[in-house]
Amino acid sequence: MARRADRHPGPPPAAAPADPGPTATVGRIFQVVRDRGPLSASEIVRRTGLAKSTVSVHLDRLRAAGLVRPDARPGSKRQKLKVADDVGAVVGLDVGQTHLTAALCDLTAAPLARRRIPLDLARETPERVLALAGGLVAALCREAGVRGRKLFGIGVGVPGPVDFAAGVPVSPPVMPGWDRFPVATRLAKRFGCPVFLDNDVNVMALGERDRGVAAGADSFIYVKIGTGIGAGIVLHGEIHRGAKGAAGDIGHIGLDGRDEPCPCGNRGCLEVVAGGAALAAQARAAASARRSPFLAALAARQAPLDAAAVGQGALAGDATCLRLLMDSGAAVGGVLAKLVNFFNPSLIVVGGGVAGVGERYVASLREAIYRRSTPLATADLQVKRTALGEEGGAVGAAVLVLDEILSHQNVSRLVRGGRHAR
Ligand SMILES: [Zn+2]
């Protein structure tokens, strides 16, 4: 983990005040312990640039508030401190189009228990989905024995645009009936804790930052290529949501020379050219036109013709499947190249069902990005597949809660109040 505090080390020691200083300082010290701990007091001094006396006073306050405690690792000579991961728990919920996944995590976002159930999101009412989600949260709390731990908060990721401050989805195309539905308020009322709602791709990006392949990356893009296509933008360790929360909606960037109609009302959007649904449609067309022996054989057996089938065909050496994958990769990579030129990330993390079909796909993305970006922007650019798998969204939603409740400001407030969260 590495974010904010570690990257903005503040004034050099000479400029640091000897007294406890502004309350924000305690939040900053906590953030360093959260990102880089376990750490000794002198390591915290080195990383923050604060005076030794300042760090010492604030560590006492954090210990008294129950937020940090000594790391009991055997063999360590100097006492190190870590986040008191067992004082509370958070739950991350990932509402997918075909599943509902929940993870109960400690205060370092390490999963303690998880559950996943099938869901047909397009056919369920928001009330029913929240009832199912509430059942999962309650079951996880019982199962993992939240005993003694407080439920500090719940994070929820949904596949659509979200008004983050209001905690409501906004006109989500794949979630009929969810426009402005009070997701956060409903869950907060039931569980008596803060609830944060965000777009699923944003929470997946947070999951990669804390527990995936983006650890240590300052500014990166997480791109999800599934049925739809979207991106989460992490800027200096934090999600960039944009003015209205719509940042990263790259699935509806128009491609030159393409004319396929998109449900959004425009034509030639990246998603309808290169997304999972597009690959499935292209696979069905190739099978019925007998352009692909592999897909035709699948169709004859009534097997599903989807992105995964195209991936299997490419692996088996079917030329049409390989071309379909390469074309999708080139289209997504072409859009990512523009983002790379504009945003200059150090890393692009690729996730989602289509990306899961194999390294060949990621290679085609990488090739398109490198071919169409400027040499300086790609000088140290890495393109990696997600390492988190199907629970990445739920873990990311847990990270979202932790970012909010353990923010500089909140920790400062908690310590001032002399007790831990809530
Ligand atoms: Zn569109």
Side-chain angles (χ1 to χ4, degrees):
M1 283 188 278
R3 41 176 188 270
R4 296 173 294 263
D6 208 42
R7 303 196 180 89
H8 305 286
D19 65 69
T23 48
T25 307
V26 73
R28 211 168 104 210
I29 291 172
F30 179 78
Q31 203 66 57
V32 173
V33 177
R34 191 183 155 208
D35 285 349
R36 296 289 182 176
L39 292 174
S40 67
S42 52
E43 285 167 325
I44 297 169
V45 167
R46 201 165 58 243
R47 286 182 180 278
T48 58
L50 293 165
K52 203 173 159 189
S53 55
T54 307
V55 168
S56 162
V57 167
H58 285 305
L59 283 178
D60 284 347
R61 296 171 69 201
L62 285 167
R63 256 190 301 248
L67 286 169
V68 302
R69 63 178 167 81
D71 180 35
R73 203 171 294 182
S76 60
K77 270 183 257 156
R78 194 177 292 154
Q79 193 192 54
K80 296 196 176 215
L81 293 158
K82 64 174 189 176
V83 171
D85 50 17
D86 55 354
V87 295
V90 295
V91 171
L93 275 169
D94 175 26
V95 180
Q97 293 187 51
T98 57
H99 64 267
L100 190 56
T101 311
L104 181 91
C105 299
D106 70 14
L107 295 194
T108 65
L112 304 168
R114 46 180 83 86
R115 291 221 171 169
R116 186 177 174 91
I117 56 171
L119 176 77
D120 187 351
L121 185 61
R123 289 173 186 275
E124 300 283 6
T125 62
E127 284 85 359
R128 163 110 175 114
V129 173
L130 284 202
L132 288 171
L136 285 186
V137 175
L140 280 177
C141 290
R142 277 196 306 274
E143 194 178 298
V146 172
R147 291 179 289 269
R149 292 174 190 253
K150 202 167 187 152
L151 184 60
F152 276 15
I154 299 172
V156 188
V158 293
V162 164
D163 180 336
F164 181 73
V168 297
V170 180
S171 310
V174 300
M175 302 169 73
W178 287 75
D179 185 31
R180 296 259 153 211
F181 188 82
V183 177
T185 316
R186 291 281 178 96
L187 285 173
K189 201 183 258 177
R190 172 162 176 189
F191 290 97
C193 64
V195 177
F196 303 93
L197 181 73
D198 206 344
N199 173 263
D200 59 350
V201 187
N202 284 350
V203 303
M204 284 170 191
L206 288 175
E208 292 296 336
R209 186 201 68 192
D210 274 27
R211 303 201 70 85
V213 295
D218 179 77
S219 296
F220 71 94
I221 295 174
Y222 177 95
V223 56
K224 180 189 170 200
I225 311 160
T227 308
I229 297 176
I233 301 162
V234 175
L235 184 61
H236 302 313
E238 299 192 51
I239 288 290
H240 171 74
R241 295 189 174 87
K244 290 284 181 189
D249 202 356
I250 64 167
H252 300 281
I253 288 180
L255 302 186
D256 292 342
R258 304 299 294 241
D259 196 40
E260 292 87 335
C262 178
C264 78
N266 285 321
R267 302 183 83 86
C269 292
L270 176 64
E271 193 166 295
V272 291
V273 172
L279 272 177
Q282 290 156 9
R284 286 191 296 272
S288 58
R290 306 236 148 230
R291 285 198 308 272
S292 158
F294 183 88
L295 294 172
L298 283 188
R301 294 205 307 271
Q302 315 259 303
L305 293 180
D306 52 13
V310 177
Q312 286 157 14
L315 268 182
D318 182 277
T320 299
C321 289
L322 197 55
R323 190 180 52 73
L324 291 178
L325 272 195
M326 298 293 119
D327 286 352
S328 166
V332 179
V335 167
L336 289 177
K338 291 174 182 158
L339 299 186
V340 166
N341 288 337
F342 178 74
F343 178 64
N344 189 203
S346 61
L347 169 69
I348 292 177
V349 183
V350 188
V354 175
V357 301
E359 192 51 45
R360 289 294 278 276
Y361 186 81
V362 179
S364 69
L365 272 182
R366 198 180 280 125
E367 200 266 330
I369 295 168
Y370 276 77
R371 188 156 42 84
R372 298 172 66 163
S373 305
T374 59
L376 183 60
T378 52
D380 294 308
L381 176 70
Q382 292 189 292
V383 181
K384 295 181 185 172
R385 269 166 84 182
T386 170
L388 288 179
E390 63 182 21
E391 70 177 23
V395 170
V399 174
L400 170 71
V401 184
L402 294 171
D403 271 10
E404 294 298 323
I405 61 171
L406 301 178
S407 67
H408 289 202
Q409 298 86 337
N410 273 346
V411 166
S412 302
R413 202 177 317 130
L414 295 170
V415 169
R416 204 162 55 228
R419 59 196 169 80
H420 55 66
R422 285 185 57 240

